[in-house]
Amino acid sequence: MTRDPRALTLRVITCLGGFYFFLYFVTPESLIEQSGVKHAHEAISNGFIAVGSMAIGLGIINILMSHGMRVVFVKKGWQYSVALIVGMFLMIGVTIAQWRTTHGLSDDIKKVQVIGDFAGRIVEDAKAEPGKHRSYAPHGTLPPLRDRVAALEQYAQATLDGNAHSEVAAAGAETDQSLEQLRSEYAQGVTALRQVLEQLQGRSWESLDTDGEAVLTSILQQAARVGSTYAIVKRNESSSWLSSRLYDFLYNGLFNHLGASMFALLGVYIAAAAYRAFRIQSVESALMMTAALIVMLGQISFGKMLYSEMPAIRQWLLEVPNSAAFRAIRLGAGVAGLMLAIRMWLSIESAKRGGKES
Amino acid sequence: MNGLEHATPTVIVLLVVALGLLYREFIRIQRGFHHTIRRIPGVDAIEGAVGRCAEQGRAVSFTTALTDVGPVLYACLGVLQSVAKKVAQYKLKLLVPQYSPEAMAVVEDSVREAYSDAGKASLYDPESIMFLSSEQFAFASGYMGLMHREKPGAALLFGSFAAESLVLSEAGQQVGARQVAASVSPEQVAFFICTCDYTLIGEELFGASAYLGRDPVQVATVAAQDRFKLLLVLLIVIGVVSATFVSLVPSMAWFRPLDLLSVGWEALVP
């Protein structure tokens, strides 16, 4: 046993965590499903992801510490550190602003989509066998159909009368014709949806008959149409907002393109590396050169012109010796990884590597 | 075992065998048995590269690139600790650029421990472990910049790599660093062979840690993995021979001994 309580705690947690995942792995899937552990497992796995994501804070702290020190003590290259820190905070700020706007937007879009989902669920539950409905019922039984339809109507009217939807419908003439057309489509859709909602009134709704089902299905379809048009209108509108434009400029315009530029460097580097590798200095490099030449010639029509079997030889090289080597490397690394994983799980360390065995 | 969410009975048997082999090797070590690991030129080159840095007064760079917390990182840490001890003894500058913030915390701890083991705890510089970015090509460009600014004499690239491998190793080439790479990603091995002085392929990365540290527990793990690999090779040979035999003698089509390995739970659990 180790005497260091911190190390002991870490070992116990590692061992228990490993044991849980080991048990989950070796238990047959049918048994897992029968016992109902699957849902709990998803929650536990998400918990691990959440713990892992906390580590991003460590990265930010490290950047602030190392580059902050460089700026404070005006070390060599401090200007780059300033650019990095400013860039980081700018990106964080813009991303938060963008997230807030898209989050609000998604909520608005979801509200309209719920109208259709609710109508669809009412039909589904009414047609289901008793006790087999999909909707959640706290006491096992769902409210009567009449109450559910009334709730649907009330929710739909309140949503369509809400600020966000009124704004879209009442917006004035736009310079962007496509946006204007979308708005007009949205207004027409809302009018049609209101008309269908009116049909909910004046019915008994004691049970679901064919006409009632047709009305609810029509609400489902109309709400889906309105929801998708609303989503397009709002997304088009939001693209002109400052936060979206800044995010678009920084992320899509700058960051992605810089990444693509780095990737493009690979083309140059592959040529430089190939030049070095193709200098025949030994038997191995001669073999490598020959294999590369065959693969390259087999890839192009010129190779086929030289020798008609060239593509077949290329294919054989890739599928047989190359695949065999890949599999051998993967097998070796996989077995080594497995053994090391077992050692990590059981915290088997010698005293000189942090084991502090007593 | 990609995509295998639950073990089949065969996998469980193989896991038990793996555990048994590990246990056997640890027991043998406790009884004083010593294994030897064959020389790997690439691993010897690590010590040579660090020594060269000491002669030239240049920094040593060690990156675990895209490696996340897991067995590969753990294997890299063994090498890193050994390198960090040498760096501490020679009073050199160590650069450990990081991609994953989670791995960075573990790496930081390991390097600090190595300095302390070398009796040079006061020389440990927390700034030597620097987080660059957790975006692949942003990390690659940060690494390139670091190489060109610091011009290290040795660049050690250990761990998991993807498309950025060539960018990293070319950056080391450009500044004239002696480079040793070790990757478990077979696709990147070819790039490293072209650009680095020495390349450790696949499991050699795991062996390097044991070879450098001469740690009995690590050596025992390598011995157990070799025996387990031998067992898998034996199974492959049985499969090849039986398949060849069946193709030559079609009347013996029932002779498929390795079919037993693919038996699922449904055959055992009613």
Side-chain angles (χ1 to χ4, degrees):
Chain A
M1 283 292 286
T2 176
R3 281 173 188 163
D4 180 2
R6 183 171 165 261
L8 181 67
T9 314
L10 288 175
R11 282 172 181 214
V12 169
I13 292 173
T14 310
C15 189
L16 287 178
F19 193 67
Y20 166 75
F21 281 102
F22 179 76
L23 269 185
Y24 184 80
F25 180 64
V26 297
T27 311
E29 194 167 10
S30 54
L31 223 64
I32 295 273
E33 273 169 11
Q34 276 171 25
S35 61
V37 176
K38 202 153 184 130
H39 289 292
H41 177 72
E42 276 168 25
I44 292 170
S45 303
N46 289 340
F48 277 99
I49 294 169
V51 171
S53 64
M54 286 176 196
I56 195 74
L58 294 175
I60 294 173
I61 291 169
N62 183 279
I63 284 179
L64 286 177
M65 293 282 281
S66 60
H67 291 272
M69 292 289 224
R70 198 170 289 167
V71 176
V72 170
F73 295 108
V74 200
K75 286 185 184 171
K76 190 182 165 194
W78 64 272
Q79 304 93 328
Y80 304 117
S81 297
V82 171
L84 180 94
I85 294 170
V86 169
M88 187 176 81
F89 279 110
L90 184 66
M91 197 66 217
I92 290 173
V94 169
T95 308
I96 291 172
Q98 168 72 0
W99 174 76
R100 285 188 63 179
T101 50
T102 49
H103 187 67
L105 209 63
S106 305
D107 276 355
D108 276 350
I109 295 166
K110 210 172 171 183
K111 275 181 191 168
V112 186
Q113 285 167 343
V114 163
I115 301 173
D117 291 346
F118 193 3
R121 192 62 73 82
I122 292 172
V123 175
E124 212 177 305
D125 289 339
K127 289 165 87 177
E129 287 173 34
K132 300 251 172 155
H133 49 79
R134 266 183 64 205
S135 301
Y136 171 71
H139 305 297
T141 49
L142 289 169
L145 179 65
R146 185 185 347 101
D147 293 353
R148 296 189 85 191
V149 170
L152 167 69
E153 193 188 351
Q154 197 184 349
Y155 174 80
Q157 295 293 3
T159 305
L160 296 176
D161 292 341
N163 286 339
H165 297 272
S166 308
E167 274 169 25
V168 175
E174 281 289 325
T175 46
D176 185 345
Q177 284 190 346
S178 59
L179 188 59
E180 181 56 26
Q181 195 182 340
L182 280 169
R183 278 191 168 137
S184 130
E185 269 176 38
Y186 172 78
Q188 285 168 14
V190 169
T191 312
L193 183 58
R194 283 187 198 278
Q195 282 168 358
V196 189
L197 285 168
E198 278 169 18
Q199 292 177 29
L200 290 174
Q201 295 161 356
R203 287 180 177 277
S204 70
W205 293 111
E206 288 307 321
S207 62
L208 188 69
D209 55 14
T210 324
D211 287 348
E213 188 184 335
V215 172
L216 287 170
T217 310
S218 174
I219 289 174
L220 189 156
Q221 290 163 350
Q222 198 59 43
R225 212 166 293 144
V226 170
S228 60
T229 322
Y230 180 72
I232 299 169
V233 171
K234 286 308 255 183
R235 287 204 175 110
N236 272 352
E237 277 181 359
S238 71
S239 63
S240 61
W241 296 344
L242 182 66
S243 64
S244 298
R245 287 168 72 176
L246 257 175
Y247 180 81
D248 198 43
F249 170 71
L250 288 172
Y251 189 76
N252 297 325
L254 210 63
F255 182 75
N256 277 353
H257 289 176
L258 287 172
S261 309
M262 283 303 294
F263 192 68
L265 273 180
L266 277 179
V268 181
Y269 287 161
I270 283 175
Y275 170 72
R276 276 197 296 274
F278 289 171
R279 280 181 300 181
I280 301 173
Q281 292 163 324
S282 60
V283 179
E284 288 89 347
S285 58
L287 263 175
M288 194 167 163
M289 165 78 188
T290 315
L293 205 64
I294 291 172
V295 170
M296 284 193 290
L297 285 173
Q299 190 76 31
I300 54 173
S301 48
F302 178 66
K304 200 173 178 181
M305 197 183 84
L306 286 178
Y307 181 49
S308 61
E309 290 300 310
M310 197 66 87
I313 300 173
R314 168 195 162 271
Q315 198 65 18
W316 180 84
L317 268 177
L318 290 177
E319 281 177 5
V320 183
N322 187 54
S323 291
F326 266 43
R327 283 174 194 169
I329 294 172
R330 286 213 172 96
L331 180 79
V335 170
L338 170 73
M339 291 297 181
L340 203 53
I342 294 175
R343 226 181 76 203
M344 282 168 74
W345 168 28
L346 302 174
S347 299
I348 303 167
E349 285 296 340
S350 60
K352 70 170 186 170
R353 278 200 77 208
K356 293 189 179 71
E357 298 283 344
S358 58
Chain B
M1 271 187 238
N2 271 350
L4 191 65
E5 204 179 334
H6 294 282
T8 58
T10 314
V11 172
I12 293 179
V13 172
L14 288 175
L15 277 175
V16 171
V17 172
L19 274 166
L21 285 170
L22 257 180
Y23 179 73
R24 176 178 172 264
E25 291 306 327
F26 290 140
I27 293 292
R28 286 176 84 190
I29 275 182
Q30 279 181 350
R31 288 179 184 161
F33 186 84
H34 285 284
H35 286 288
T36 47
I37 293 188
R38 73 172 167 84
R39 272 189 69 231
I40 305 171
V43 181
D44 288 335
I46 297 173
E47 289 182 351
V50 178
R52 181 173 175 253
C53 289
E55 285 166 12
Q56 298 177 342
R58 290 165 78 178
V60 175
S61 151
F62 188 106
T63 182
T64 52
L66 311 189
T67 317
D68 229 322
V69 177
V72 178
L73 179 74
Y74 206 61
C76 295
L77 289 182
V79 183
L80 175 60
Q81 280 202 322
S82 159
V83 170
K85 273 183 206 166
K86 285 260 180 283
V87 165
Q89 281 160 5
Y90 298 150
K91 295 181 182 173
L92 297 173
K93 187 175 181 181
L94 180 68
L95 308 165
V96 192
Q98 288 296 300
Y99 166 86
S100 155
E102 293 156 58
M104 189 183 74
V106 188
V107 166
E108 234 171 355
D109 224 34
S110 295
V111 174
R112 192 183 292 119
E113 198 180 292
Y115 271 77
S116 158
D117 284 353
K120 307 276 181 190
S122 59
L123 291 180
Y124 171 69
D125 176 14
E127 278 189 47
S128 61
I129 291 120
M130 61 211 80
F131 176 72
L132 296 183
S133 170
S134 48
E135 206 279 333
Q136 187 186 9
F137 283 104
F139 171 78
S141 67
Y143 182 88
M144 277 187 83
L146 188 74
M147 288 285 118
H148 284 277
R149 281 194 305 276
E150 301 287 347
K151 298 194 170 34
L156 309 170
L157 304 120
F158 278 67
S160 308
F161 295 85
E164 81 297 337
S165 64
L166 193 56
V167 177
L168 306 186
S169 52
E170 268 296 318
Q173 267 281 341
Q174 286 166 2
V175 298
R178 181 164 290 180
Q179 298 199 99
V180 181
S183 175
V184 288
S185 336
E187 295 84 359
Q188 309 308 323
V189 167
F191 292 127
F192 285 137
I193 288 174
C194 293
T195 48
C196 296
D197 299 284
Y198 291 92
T199 306
L200 304 179
I201 300 172
E203 65 188 300
E204 285 180 342
L205 164 61
F206 295 87
S209 171
Y211 182 84
L212 282 171
R214 305 282 196 280
D215 175 17
V217 172
Q218 289 189 47
V219 176
T221 313
V222 174
Q225 87 194 28
D226 275 356
R227 275 148 187 76
F228 190 65
K229 208 167 57 192
L230 207 65
L231 173 76
L232 295 183
V233 169
L234 194 72
L235 288 175
I236 291 171
V237 171
I238 292 173
V240 170
V241 170
S242 63
T244 311
F245 178 70
V246 166
S247 69
L248 291 174
V249 189
S251 60
M252 295 283 284
W254 53 268
F255 182 67
R256 292 176 180 277
L258 292 194
D259 278 7
L260 282 173
L261 299 181
S262 53
V263 170
W265 285 110
E266 62 284 350
L268 303 175
V269 182

